Amino acid sequence: MELRQLNLFMEAAKHKSITKAAESVHISQPALSKSIMALEEELGMTLIIRSNKATNLTDAGNVVLEYAQKISGLLDEMTKTLNDMTDLKRGEINIGLPPFIGSLFFPKVMAKFHQAFPNIKLNITEYGGARVVKSVEEGEFELGVTVLPIDEQEFRVYPIVEEELMLVVHKDHHFAARKQVEIKELADEEFIFYHEEFSLNQILRNQFFISGGFEPKILFKSTQWDLMSEMVAANLGITILPQSICNRLLNKELKIITLRPATLWRLAVITKKDRYISNAGRTFIDFILKESL
């Protein structure tokens, strides 16, 4: 069994397609299929169910994937540890970043970091906050940025932003003339809401709406704040957005209203506890904590 075989198998599992996996690693589809078939023959088990539409893992395939990811993570840690021992001012960081957060705060921070540390490569992948947390836990990312709260027994947490969430309504909405609205008053409203892959979906739903005595009436879910705000501007429903996003809303059809009790949007960089953090990763954390986001 070779590491290359495991890496190719992980690509196939990630893309759920032999063709897409082959394109991703720049080899031919027959070569990738041959590698996986050789791995299956060595293990004596079928790992992948092949069909015209998708590639799915068998139970044995899921077990191999779990251990392959652990092996890959350990090799990455070894490489980072050895690089740090040489005290080189270079490195590579895999970062998970929700699209909402990335577009608001990070372009300038990333530019400044690159200017200060041009030999440290930042590999950024955009996922929803909930998936970022899971991927940091599983070792796909060394660092992640997500919305608090999360389980601080499992993760190191470095807070970077705290601001209020605001209610956004159409100018003709019955709340439009109000300066503030109580969360419990939203029980009968229709929401343009966050997709399930975003942490705010569960945070707002569980900690504010359900604890306030009602299940939100969700008309539409999105991963894009500009689409959410435009749907409100079309008078399809109401939404809740961070203050920094509200500051960017220029549509005159919208009204921004304070929520009471204050509903905070708190962001943090997270790492998995008991996992080695590279010198490059620690440098990035120190840098971002010093920056005013």
Side-chain angles (χ1 to χ4, degrees):
M1 185 184 304
E2 299 177 358
L3 287 173
R4 177 173 171 77
Q5 287 177 306
L6 292 177
N7 287 332
L8 293 177
F9 171 72
M10 286 192 291
E11 281 295 315
K14 176 182 176 181
H15 292 281
K16 295 186 177 181
S17 165
I18 297 292
T19 301
K20 291 181 180 178
E23 292 174 354
S24 175
V25 295
H26 308 293
I27 65 171
S28 69
Q29 181 179 337
L32 192 146
S33 294
K34 184 177 179 180
S35 174
I36 293 175
M37 290 174 65
L39 181 61
E40 289 177 320
E41 184 176 347
E42 181 176 348
L43 295 174
M45 290 185 171
T46 300
L47 304 181
I48 289 179
I49 301 171
R50 298 159 177 85
S51 68
N52 292 331
K53 292 184 178 180
T55 296
N56 296 308
L57 299 185
T58 63
D59 290 343
N62 282 313
V63 171
V64 173
L65 177 62
E66 179 182 352
Y67 279 94
Q69 289 171 335
K70 289 179 180 178
I71 292 168
S72 178
L74 286 171
L75 287 173
D76 286 344
E77 284 194 20
M78 180 186 73
T79 301
K80 291 169 186 173
T81 303
L82 292 173
N83 284 340
D84 285 354
M85 287 176 65
T86 64
D87 198 28
L88 295 174
K89 293 187 178 296
R90 64 178 65 247
E92 188 171 337
I93 316 169
N94 293 318
I95 303 173
L97 192 64
F100 264 46
I101 298 169
S103 63
L104 286 173
F105 303 113
F106 278 81
K108 291 182 179 178
V109 172
M110 298 298 184
K112 290 181 181 179
F113 183 81
H114 180 67
Q115 290 171 0
F117 303 96
N119 292 321
I120 296 180
K121 181 180 179 182
L122 300 178
N123 297 321
I124 300 171
T125 303
E126 287 190 326
Y127 286 160
R131 188 173 173 187
V132 167
V133 173
K134 181 176 176 60
S135 296
V136 171
E137 182 179 14
E138 293 177 347
E140 180 180 356
F141 303 138
E142 183 176 6
L143 311 176
V145 179
T146 192
V147 180
L148 299 178
I150 64 167
D151 185 359
E152 296 193 23
Q153 297 294 319
E154 295 289 330
F155 300 94
R156 301 183 190 92
V157 176
Y158 306 91
I160 53 176
V161 171
E162 181 175 293
E163 63 183 49
E164 287 192 31
L165 289 163
M166 309 296 288
L167 180 66
V168 183
V169 305
H170 188 270
K171 68 177 183 179
D172 294 332
H173 192 277
H174 58 274
F175 287 150
R178 300 268 297 273
K179 291 185 177 180
Q180 62 183 43
V181 171
E182 296 284 332
I183 288 179
K184 63 184 179 182
E185 296 181 76
L186 305 179
D188 296 325
E189 300 296 324
E190 290 186 324
F191 282 88
I192 311 300
F193 209 56
Y194 299 91
H195 192 275
E196 286 88 346
E197 70 181 45
F198 285 84
S199 299
L200 275 174
N201 177 290
Q202 291 299 311
I203 291 171
L204 286 172
R205 184 176 175 274
N206 295 333
Q207 296 186 21
F208 296 97
F209 298 144
I210 293 178
S211 64
F214 68 94
E215 178 75 41
K217 299 176 181 178
I218 299 173
L219 180 68
F220 182 81
K221 297 175 186 176
S222 176
T223 61
Q224 304 294 326
W225 65 264
D226 51 348
L227 177 58
M228 294 169 70
S229 63
E230 287 303 312
M231 294 189 75
V232 175
N235 208 11
L236 289 174
I238 66 173
T239 195
I240 295 174
L241 293 171
Q243 178 70 65
S244 52
I245 290 179
C246 291
N247 292 340
R248 296 186 176 196
L249 300 181
L250 303 177
N251 195 315
K252 295 181 180 179
E253 300 294 308
L254 300 175
K255 293 291 182 180
I256 314 299
I257 304 168
T258 300
L259 281 171
R260 289 292 178 262
T263 307
L264 296 179
W265 190 54
R266 298 183 296 131
L267 305 181
V269 176
I270 62 170
T271 64
K272 184 72 167 64
K273 282 187 175 178
D274 303 322
R275 181 170 291 148
Y276 177 79
I277 303 301
S278 68
N279 186 47
R282 291 192 297 271
T283 299
F284 181 78
I285 292 172
D286 290 342
F287 183 88
I288 202 169
L289 290 177
K290 291 176 183 177
E291 288 294 313
S292 177
L293 296 182

